[in-house]
PDB file of all heavy atoms in Angstrom:
ATOM      1  N   ARG A1151       3.688 -13.425  -2.313  1.00  0.00           N
ATOM      2  CA  ARG A1151       4.310 -12.100  -2.347  1.00  0.00           C
ATOM      3  C   ARG A1151       4.191 -11.523  -3.748  1.00  0.00           C
ATOM      4  O   ARG A1151       4.095 -12.256  -4.720  1.00  0.00           O
ATOM      5  CB  ARG A1151       5.783 -12.201  -1.974  1.00  0.00           C
ATOM      6  CG  ARG A1151       5.991 -12.503  -0.502  1.00  0.00           C
ATOM      7  CD  ARG A1151       7.452 -12.484  -0.131  1.00  0.00           C
ATOM      8  NE  ARG A1151       8.019 -11.169  -0.404  1.00  0.00           N
ATOM      9  CZ  ARG A1151       9.255 -10.972  -0.871  1.00  0.00           C
ATOM     10  NH1 ARG A1151      10.056 -11.983  -1.112  1.00  0.00           N
ATOM     11  NH2 ARG A1151       9.685  -9.757  -1.102  1.00  0.00           N
ATOM     12  N   LEU A1152       4.227 -10.224  -3.831  1.00  0.00           N
ATOM     13  CA  LEU A1152       4.262  -9.513  -5.099  1.00  0.00           C
ATOM     14  C   LEU A1152       5.576  -8.724  -5.113  1.00  0.00           C
ATOM     15  O   LEU A1152       5.595  -7.517  -4.889  1.00  0.00           O
ATOM     16  CB  LEU A1152       3.044  -8.590  -5.205  1.00  0.00           C
ATOM     17  CG  LEU A1152       2.762  -7.911  -6.524  1.00  0.00           C
ATOM     18  CD1 LEU A1152       2.477  -8.938  -7.619  1.00  0.00           C
ATOM     19  CD2 LEU A1152       1.580  -6.971  -6.379  1.00  0.00           C
ATOM     20  N   PRO A1153       6.703  -9.419  -5.349  1.00  0.00           N
ATOM     21  CA  PRO A1153       8.013  -8.773  -5.195  1.00  0.00           C
ATOM     22  C   PRO A1153       8.237  -7.594  -6.129  1.00  0.00           C
ATOM     23  O   PRO A1153       8.951  -6.656  -5.781  1.00  0.00           O
ATOM     24  CB  PRO A1153       9.014  -9.892  -5.459  1.00  0.00           C
ATOM     25  CG  PRO A1153       8.257 -10.961  -6.149  1.00  0.00           C
ATOM     26  CD  PRO A1153       6.822 -10.808  -5.764  1.00  0.00           C
ATOM     27  N   GLY A1154       7.612  -7.612  -7.298  1.00  0.00           N
ATOM     28  CA  GLY A1154       7.798  -6.503  -8.231  1.00  0.00           C
ATOM     29  C   GLY A1154       7.353  -5.166  -7.670  1.00  0.00           C
ATOM     30  O   GLY A1154       7.898  -4.123  -8.024  1.00  0.00           O
ATOM     31  N   PHE A1155       6.371  -5.182  -6.769  1.00  0.00           N
ATOM     32  CA  PHE A1155       5.896  -3.925  -6.196  1.00  0.00           C
ATOM     33  C   PHE A1155       7.024  -3.196  -5.470  1.00  0.00           C
ATOM     34  O   PHE A1155       7.293  -2.022  -5.733  1.00  0.00           O
ATOM     35  CB  PHE A1155       4.716  -4.159  -5.248  1.00  0.00           C
ATOM     36  CG  PHE A1155       4.279  -2.908  -4.548  1.00  0.00           C
ATOM     37  CD1 PHE A1155       3.480  -1.993  -5.196  1.00  0.00           C
ATOM     38  CD2 PHE A1155       4.689  -2.632  -3.255  1.00  0.00           C
ATOM     39  CE1 PHE A1155       3.084  -0.810  -4.567  1.00  0.00           C
ATOM     40  CE2 PHE A1155       4.303  -1.467  -2.615  1.00  0.00           C
ATOM     41  CZ  PHE A1155       3.505  -0.560  -3.273  1.00  0.00           C
ATOM     42  N   GLY A1156       7.688  -3.866  -4.548  1.00  0.00           N
ATOM     43  CA  GLY A1156       8.764  -3.234  -3.790  1.00  0.00           C
ATOM     44  C   GLY A1156       9.943  -2.857  -4.677  1.00  0.00           C
ATOM     45  O   GLY A1156      10.553  -1.804  -4.500  1.00  0.00           O
ATOM     46  N   GLU A1157      10.248  -3.722  -5.634  1.00  0.00           N
ATOM     47  CA  GLU A1157      11.371  -3.447  -6.542  1.00  0.00           C
ATOM     48  C   GLU A1157      11.117  -2.179  -7.348  1.00  0.00           C
ATOM     49  O   GLU A1157      11.982  -1.308  -7.448  1.00  0.00           O
ATOM     50  CB  GLU A1157      11.580  -4.635  -7.475  1.00  0.00           C
ATOM     51  CG  GLU A1157      12.026  -5.885  -6.750  1.00  0.00           C
ATOM     52  CD  GLU A1157      11.839  -7.142  -7.592  1.00  0.00           C
ATOM     53  OE1 GLU A1157      11.380  -7.060  -8.752  1.00  0.00           O
ATOM     54  OE2 GLU A1157      12.154  -8.225  -7.064  1.00  0.00           O
ATOM     55  N   ILE A1158       9.919  -2.084  -7.928  1.00  0.00           N
ATOM     56  CA  ILE A1158       9.602  -0.905  -8.744  1.00  0.00           C
ATOM     57  C   ILE A1158       9.460   0.335  -7.869  1.00  0.00           C
ATOM     58  O   ILE A1158       9.904   1.421  -8.247  1.00  0.00           O
ATOM     59  CB  ILE A1158       8.333  -1.140  -9.590  1.00  0.00           C
ATOM     60  CG1 ILE A1158       8.587  -2.275 -10.594  1.00  0.00           C
ATOM     61  CG2 ILE A1158       7.919   0.133 -10.322  1.00  0.00           C
ATOM     62  CD1 ILE A1158       7.338  -2.761 -11.296  1.00  0.00           C
ATOM     63  N   TYR A1159       8.887   0.177  -6.681  1.00  0.00           N
ATOM     64  CA  TYR A1159       8.755   1.324  -5.786  1.00  0.00           C
ATOM     65  C   TYR A1159      10.138   1.907  -5.464  1.00  0.00           C
ATOM     66  O   TYR A1159      10.343   3.118  -5.512  1.00  0.00           O
ATOM     67  CB  TYR A1159       8.014   0.968  -4.490  1.00  0.00           C
ATOM     68  CG  TYR A1159       7.934   2.173  -3.597  1.00  0.00           C
ATOM     69  CD1 TYR A1159       6.965   3.132  -3.808  1.00  0.00           C
ATOM     70  CD2 TYR A1159       8.883   2.387  -2.602  1.00  0.00           C
ATOM     71  CE1 TYR A1159       6.929   4.286  -3.049  1.00  0.00           C
ATOM     72  CE2 TYR A1159       8.857   3.536  -1.848  1.00  0.00           C
ATOM     73  CZ  TYR A1159       7.878   4.481  -2.067  1.00  0.00           C
ATOM     74  OH  TYR A1159       7.866   5.626  -1.332  1.00  0.00           O
ATOM     75  N   ARG A1160      11.097   1.041  -5.141  1.00  0.00           N
ATOM     76  CA  ARG A1160      12.444   1.532  -4.833  1.00  0.00           C
ATOM     77  C   ARG A1160      13.095   2.180  -6.047  1.00  0.00           C
ATOM     78  O   ARG A1160      13.796   3.186  -5.933  1.00  0.00           O
ATOM     79  CB  ARG A1160      13.301   0.407  -4.257  1.00  0.00           C
ATOM     80  CG  ARG A1160      12.969   0.136  -2.787  1.00  0.00           C
ATOM     81  CD  ARG A1160      13.792  -0.988  -2.193  1.00  0.00           C
ATOM     82  NE  ARG A1160      13.336  -2.297  -2.624  1.00  0.00           N
ATOM     83  CZ  ARG A1160      12.260  -2.914  -2.150  1.00  0.00           C
ATOM     84  NH1 ARG A1160      11.521  -2.343  -1.211  1.00  0.00           N
ATOM     85  NH2 ARG A1160      11.921  -4.096  -2.592  1.00  0.00           N
ATOM     86  N   TRP A1161      12.849   1.644  -7.227  1.00  0.00           N
ATOM     87  CA  TRP A1161      13.395   2.226  -8.459  1.00  0.00           C
ATOM     88  C   TRP A1161      12.819   3.633  -8.667  1.00  0.00           C
ATOM     89  O   TRP A1161      13.549   4.570  -8.978  1.00  0.00           O
ATOM     90  CB  TRP A1161      13.089   1.310  -9.642  1.00  0.00           C
ATOM     91  CG  TRP A1161      13.525   1.852 -10.964  1.00  0.00           C
ATOM     92  CD1 TRP A1161      14.797   1.890 -11.461  1.00  0.00           C
ATOM     93  CD2 TRP A1161      12.678   2.445 -11.955  1.00  0.00           C
ATOM     94  NE1 TRP A1161      14.789   2.465 -12.703  1.00  0.00           N
ATOM     95  CE2 TRP A1161      13.498   2.814 -13.029  1.00  0.00           C
ATOM     96  CE3 TRP A1161      11.304   2.671 -12.022  1.00  0.00           C
ATOM     97  CZ2 TRP A1161      12.994   3.419 -14.169  1.00  0.00           C
ATOM     98  CZ3 TRP A1161      10.812   3.269 -13.160  1.00  0.00           C
ATOM     99  CH2 TRP A1161      11.652   3.633 -14.215  1.00  0.00           C
ATOM    100  N   LEU A1162      11.504   3.765  -8.487  1.00  0.00           N
ATOM    101  CA  LEU A1162      10.879   5.083  -8.613  1.00  0.00           C
ATOM    102  C   LEU A1162      11.417   6.051  -7.559  1.00  0.00           C
ATOM    103  O   LEU A1162      11.692   7.218  -7.853  1.00  0.00           O
ATOM    104  CB  LEU A1162       9.358   4.968  -8.479  1.00  0.00           C
ATOM    105  CG  LEU A1162       8.631   4.269  -9.620  1.00  0.00           C
ATOM    106  CD1 LEU A1162       7.201   3.944  -9.211  1.00  0.00           C
ATOM    107  CD2 LEU A1162       8.667   5.109 -10.885  1.00  0.00           C
ATOM    108  N   SER A1163      11.574   5.571  -6.346  1.00  0.00           N
ATOM    109  CA  SER A1163      12.094   6.409  -5.265  1.00  0.00           C
ATOM    110  C   SER A1163      13.515   6.853  -5.557  1.00  0.00           C
ATOM    111  O   SER A1163      13.890   8.006  -5.288  1.00  0.00           O
ATOM    112  CB  SER A1163      12.063   5.651  -3.932  1.00  0.00           C
ATOM    113  OG  SER A1163      10.746   5.374  -3.561  1.00  0.00           O
TER     114      SER A1163
END
Side-chain angles (χ1 to χ4, degrees):
R1151 289 185 60 217
L1152 189 63
F1155 175 80
E1157 294 163 1
I1158 296 169
Y1159 179 81
R1160 282 179 284 283
W1161 176 77
L1162 291 167
S1163 295

